[in-house]
Amino acid sequence: MVVKSQIKFIKNLQQKKCRLEHGLFVVEGIKSVKELLNSHFKVYKIYATELNLVSSSIQEVELIAESDLKRMSNLKTPNKVLGVFHIPKPVEIDYSEWILALDDIRDPGNLGTIIRLCDWFGIQQLVCSPNTVDCYNSKVLQATMGSITRVQISYTNLVDFIKGSGSQVYGAFMDGNKVYNETFNFAGIMVMGNEANGISSEVEALITKKVTIPQFGKTTTESLNVATATAILLNELRRSE
Amino acid sequence: MVVKSQIKFIKNLQQKKCRLEHGLFVVEGIKSVKELLNSHFKVYKIYATELNLVSSSIQEVELIAESDLKRMSNLKTPNKVLGVFHIPKPVEIDYSEWILALDDIRDPGNLGTIIRLCDWFGIQQLVCSPNTVDCYNSKVLQATMGSITRVQISYTNLVDFIKGSGSQVYGAFMDGNKVYNETFNFAGIMVMGNEANGISSEVEALITKKVTIPQFGKTTTESLNVATATAILLNELRRSE
């Protein structure tokens, strides 16, 4: 039987502070939980309303009542299984591959979509500024559609990270060179900026190549959303290989 | 003074059926209302909590109390101005320009993002299947960021529309030709399919060129989100000009 303290603990893991303190995060739904069980992520605990929903070889499964699942869930309609997993330890960055760097992306949907794009385009390293939304936030996890298992995500000071890289550093700006004229190397760093303010001035000072997605509509158009701009730029750097 | 029946009428315009019946839709917020006032859209009524918020030359402005605005608003925090505008009459399609066609896009955020992308890439004609989410839905309008004033949107049967076009018809598929190898003409139709089911079989039968965005990650990756796929394809067709 699930005790009250367990339910409270799971609920608390919705907060970033609690996730960092315990090194754990929550994933909901059969599909997502199975995807994590089949990945390098280490399981801490699985709560399921039926025992045959996850592989019988998993020791950490606990059967719970639907009412208890509802109490620990963050969803309006809980989906039978809730998994608690360990946040993986930071891995060393491989500078011989492409790296996407995010400077204060705040919207969970945008971060989730960007992780999914990294997965599609085989960009396995995502480096985020400390103020970027936490990738273990439930809305981010929902938007990644399982891609979180195939992209390594680190949170670190971008200035120090870029200074230590020795890489060619690209950044998305409104006034850079047309991205169509760029020939991308097989490795480098691509920086995307905050939804409202773009790339911060400290990071901008370290960008070696500013790139821009040309605009074909009227000039009154708002800038592109950061997730769609990322889609276009990742496609550009892969198509030029 | 605003009467109860007016508030009820504005609330009812949140429903597609009521919007179609009256040929009217609602936009909220100073920025969005101003953008529509400066466009080809015809104003029906503006409700504002202060008179100097919109141009004094607009006759249709009515001063209202914040409490009344709150009662007619669809937002948690209403933003001082609410505008009611006429849904524009359908315009004739110009087949000598690029047209984006949407086959049952259901998510309001996706449609809003796609309208914003059309605006960025100068695609002025968007043709939607009747089951595509209504572009005058408040969530769609919010996601378009004002681009709705610069893109002509029609709802029609896609099969009849394509049959009558005589155009080259491209469609986004998982198993088409690599989009990088395609040379796009100066005009044509690009079809994007439903979030879960892709392009319907009746429309697929009319596609002359199936295109695919190559995948560089592991093959277990989910497909791209339809809005990010649209971003990449519109960029591809403009960059090849």
Side-chain angles (χ1 to χ4, degrees), chain B residues 49-237:
Chain B
T49 56
E50 295 165 44
L51 273 183
N52 59 358
L53 290 173
V54 285
S55 161
S56 57
S57 66
I58 311 281
Q59 309 256 318
E60 293 83 355
V61 184
E62 185 168 340
L63 195 65
I64 60 165
E66 283 207 28
S67 55
D68 282 335
L69 181 66
K70 203 162 184 175
R71 284 160 72 203
M72 53 172 74
S73 172
N74 197 37
L75 302 174
K76 273 186 192 163
T77 320
N79 187 1
K80 291 176 180 171
V81 180
L82 181 150
V84 185
F85 291 85
H86 292 276
I87 292 176
K89 292 208 167 59
V91 290
E92 215 168 305
I93 301 286
D94 177 2
Y95 294 101
S96 71
E97 299 279 345
W98 270 103
I99 298 159
L100 184 69
L102 303 182
D103 193 7
D104 292 8
I105 298 297
R106 298 298 176 90
D107 182 81
N110 282 341
L111 179 57
T113 305
I114 289 170
I115 294 169
R116 193 170 161 193
L117 283 164
C118 284
D119 188 19
W120 182 273
F121 286 110
I123 308 285
Q124 282 163 21
Q125 302 178 98
L126 183 62
V127 176
C128 305
S129 65
N131 284 330
T132 295
V133 57
D134 182 31
C135 65
Y136 300 108
N137 169 310
S138 61
K139 283 183 196 160
V140 176
L141 289 171
Q142 213 180 322
T144 68
M145 307 284 279
S147 291
I148 193 113
T149 61
R150 294 177 294 270
V151 180
Q152 290 166 3
I153 306 168
S154 328
Y155 285 77
T156 191
N157 179 296
L158 286 192
V159 170
D160 297 343
F161 159 70
I162 292 172
K163 277 187 178 165
S165 72
S167 301
Q168 183 80 276
V169 187
Y170 297 82
F173 288 87
M174 296 293 283
D175 60 347
N177 297 318
K178 271 192 186 183
V179 66
Y180 307 156
N181 301 333
E182 207 59 60
T183 312
F184 291 99
N185 297 324
F186 283 90
I189 299 170
M190 174 69 77
V191 185
M192 305 297 299
N194 170 266
E195 287 90 345
N197 308 314
I199 294 173
S200 61
S201 53
E202 309 84 62
V203 173
E204 183 177 352
L206 303 169
I207 303 283
T208 47
K209 289 205 173 189
K210 292 188 181 185
V211 292
T212 291
I213 300 164
Q215 183 174 23
F216 294 83
K218 289 178 187 151
T219 49
T220 45
T221 311
E222 291 268 342
S223 68
L224 284 170
N225 160 281
V226 66
T228 54
T230 304
I232 293 165
L233 291 179
L234 295 188
N235 182 64
E236 285 291 333
L237 67 86

Side-chain angles (χ1 to χ4, degrees), chain A residues 5-233:
Chain A
S5 62
Q6 277 176 291
I7 292 172
K8 198 179 164 193
F9 181 63
I10 304 296
K11 288 295 277 183
N12 283 345
L13 288 175
Q14 295 298 340
Q15 293 160 32
K16 182 180 169 183
K17 194 184 148 193
C18 184
R19 285 196 293 272
L20 290 180
E21 192 184 325
H22 296 278
L24 296 170
F25 69 100
V26 173
V27 163
E28 298 203 51
I30 299 170
K31 200 178 164 217
S32 300
V33 167
K34 278 191 175 168
E35 201 141 18
L36 278 155
L37 286 172
N38 290 326
S39 75
H40 63 93
F41 281 83
K42 291 208 177 94
V43 62
Y44 173 81
K45 188 97 191 175
I46 305 284
Y47 297 98
T49 56
E50 294 166 44
L51 272 183
N52 59 359
L53 291 173
V54 285
S55 159
S56 56
S57 66
I58 312 281
Q59 308 258 317
E60 294 83 355
V61 184
E62 184 168 341
L63 195 64
I64 60 166
E66 282 207 29
S67 56
D68 283 334
L69 181 66
K70 203 162 185 174
R71 284 160 71 203
M72 54 171 75
S73 172
N74 197 36
L75 302 174
K76 274 186 191 163
T77 321
N79 187 0
K80 291 176 180 169
V81 180
L82 182 151
V84 185
F85 291 85
H86 292 276
I87 292 176
K89 291 211 167 57
V91 290
E92 215 168 308
I93 302 286
D94 177 1
Y95 293 100
S96 71
E97 298 279 345
W98 269 103
I99 298 160
L100 184 69
L102 304 181
D103 193 6
D104 291 8
I105 297 298
R106 298 298 176 90
D107 181 81
N110 282 341
L111 179 58
T113 305
I114 289 171
I115 294 169
R116 193 170 160 192
L117 283 164
C118 284
D119 187 19
W120 183 271
F121 286 109
I123 309 285
Q124 281 164 19
Q125 303 178 97
L126 183 62
V127 176
C128 306
S129 66
N131 284 330
T132 294
V133 57
D134 183 32
C135 66
Y136 300 107
N137 169 311
S138 61
K139 284 182 194 161
V140 176
L141 290 171
Q142 212 179 324
T144 67
M145 307 284 279
S147 291
I148 194 111
T149 59
R150 294 177 292 271
V151 180
Q152 290 166 2
I153 305 168
S154 328
Y155 285 77
T156 191
N157 179 295
L158 286 193
V159 170
D160 297 342
F161 159 70
I162 293 173
K163 276 186 179 165
S165 72
S167 300
Q168 183 78 276
V169 187
Y170 296 84
F173 288 87
M174 295 294 282
D175 60 348
N177 297 318
K178 270 192 185 181
V179 65
Y180 307 156
N181 301 333
E182 208 59 62
T183 313
F184 292 99
N185 297 324
F186 282 91
I189 299 171
M190 174 69 76
V191 185
M192 304 300 297
N194 169 268
E195 288 89 346
N197 307 315
I199 294 174
S200 62
S201 52
E202 308 82 63
V203 173
E204 183 177 351
L206 303 170
I207 303 282
T208 48
K209 290 206 173 188
K210 291 186 180 186
V211 293
T212 292
I213 300 163
Q215 184 174 23
F216 294 84
K218 292 180 185 147
T219 50
T220 45
T221 312
E222 291 267 343
S223 67
L224 286 170
N225 160 281
V226 65
T228 55
T230 304
I232 294 165
L233 292 179

